[in-house]
Amino acid sequence: MEDIRVSLVQGDTRWHDPAGNRDYYAGLLAPLVGQTDLVLLPETFTSGFSNEALASAETMDGPTVAWLREQAARLGAVVSGSVQLREGGGVFNRMLWATPEGGLRWYDKRHLFRMAREHERYAAGKDAITVELKGWRIRPLVCYDLRFPVFIRNRFEGGRFDYDLLLFVANWPAARRHAWRTLLRARAIENLAYVAGVNRVGTDGNGIAYSGDSAALDFLGMELAELDDTAQVRTVTLSADALAAHRERFPAQLDADRFTLLD
């Protein structure tokens, strides 16, 4: 593992305006050329968190997937964020992972937010994925997933952890900001891993306000960066040596309970 630079892109997503959002976020990303390894965009960054956006959901050969690939190539970095994407008979809240070499992987949000009826309109994903970058094993997740520690649990098998870095992209309302901040820290501490979480700011078309609070946290839940409620970009460097030293000094994984995750 090498040290890795992670850029938190906390934006004020435009409501139901994919083309406008692509232009807006491209402007925020422009200064990052050659300055980062991984760029993290908010959940549903082309539309905002809207059930009504299903009607205009793109496909994998649509403009937003192409845009992500273009941005990754231009920046020389992985670009990741979630978008409503139609596949088969359903629309998924899909977190994309576009590499500068042209590769593309994705994770479909497993836990759908029933309080906003997301579970009635979107198709649910099933399995977590692990992606790799500069020797790091990375687990991408979306918003409401943050509340489900069993699904997220970092297992230690064969002498290796499932992941070294957790990523969360979100549209997490300001009214529940205490939960967002608390759970990000809990996931870092209990899983002996870094955590990066990106939330949006502003007020959406449903009148819901967002306070940002995007953060990069170390394995002790300590802030390496914590953003306020304004649109901004912050890049932090995560130390591979510090993570390895902590896991050796505090090997709680050796006392973890074994379990099987059922559907």
Side-chain angles (χ1 to χ4, degrees), residues 31-95:
L32 295 174
V33 175
Q35 303 299 311
T36 189
D37 303 301
L38 170 59
V39 175
L40 200 57
L41 298 163
E43 179 186 22
T44 57
F45 70 88
T46 59
S47 64
F49 188 70
S50 167
N51 285 330
E52 282 62 51
L54 270 73
S56 57
E58 298 176 26
T59 60
M60 290 294 284
D61 58 358
T64 296
V65 173
W67 179 88
L68 273 172
R69 285 177 148 156
E70 291 166 2
Q71 294 299 315
R74 186 177 63 83
L75 297 175
V78 170
V79 181
S80 185
S82 95
V83 186
Q84 295 107 332
L85 287 168
R86 187 176 302 279
E87 187 167 299
V91 175
F92 294 88
N93 188 339
R94 178 165 289 178
M95 186 170 176

Side-chain angles (χ1 to χ4, degrees), residues 72-205:
R74 186 177 63 83
L75 297 175
V78 170
V79 181
S80 185
S82 95
V83 186
Q84 295 107 332
L85 287 168
R86 187 176 302 279
E87 187 167 299
V91 175
F92 294 88
N93 188 339
R94 178 165 289 178
M95 186 170 176
L96 300 162
W97 175 271
T99 72
E101 300 80 21
L104 184 69
R105 294 192 64 190
W106 58 86
Y107 160 73
D108 291 329
K109 185 178 182 182
R110 175 182 171 99
H111 300 93
L112 302 179
F113 191 58
R114 69 175 54 247
M115 282 66 83
R117 298 176 60 199
E118 187 182 19
H119 68 302
E120 295 178 3
R121 304 191 184 192
Y122 286 81
K126 180 180 179 183
D127 299 318
I129 68 166
T130 302
V131 290
E132 296 201 16
L133 180 62
K134 299 184 73 172
W136 292 67
R137 293 167 63 83
I138 301 172
R139 177 67 50 84
L141 296 162
V142 180
C143 203
Y144 193 43
D145 287 329
L146 178 61
R147 292 181 176 269
F148 299 92
V150 175
F151 182 65
I152 297 170
R153 187 65 177 167
N154 199 3
R155 305 188 199 196
F156 183 75
E157 297 178 353
R160 192 172 190 187
F161 286 89
D162 285 344
Y163 57 81
D164 308 300
L165 169 62
L166 274 173
L167 304 179
F168 293 96
V169 298
N171 277 212
W172 198 287
R176 293 188 291 278
R177 67 185 296 258
H178 178 69
W180 164 256
R181 298 181 72 253
T182 301
L183 293 173
L184 286 175
R185 287 153 178 78
R187 299 295 87 87
I189 295 165
E190 70 194 6
N191 291 301
L192 287 83
Y194 286 100
V195 169
V198 169
N199 191 25
R200 64 160 293 176
V201 294
T203 301
D204 70 17

Side-chain angles (χ1 to χ4, degrees), residues 1-8 36-38 40 133-134 136-138 164-167 193-197 215-219 222-225 234-244:
M1 290 171 58
E2 305 174 45
D3 290 354
I4 189 172
R5 298 167 297 176
V6 180
S7 296
L8 311 176
T36 189
D37 303 301
L38 170 59
L40 200 57
L133 180 62
K134 299 184 73 172
W136 292 67
R137 293 167 63 83
I138 301 172
D164 308 300
L165 169 62
L166 274 173
L167 304 179
Y194 286 100
V195 169
L217 308 168
D218 73 6
F219 34 79
M222 302 299 291
E223 298 87 356
L224 302 174
R234 184 84 60 86
T235 300
V236 297
T237 299
L238 309 185
S239 168
D241 288 345
L243 177 60

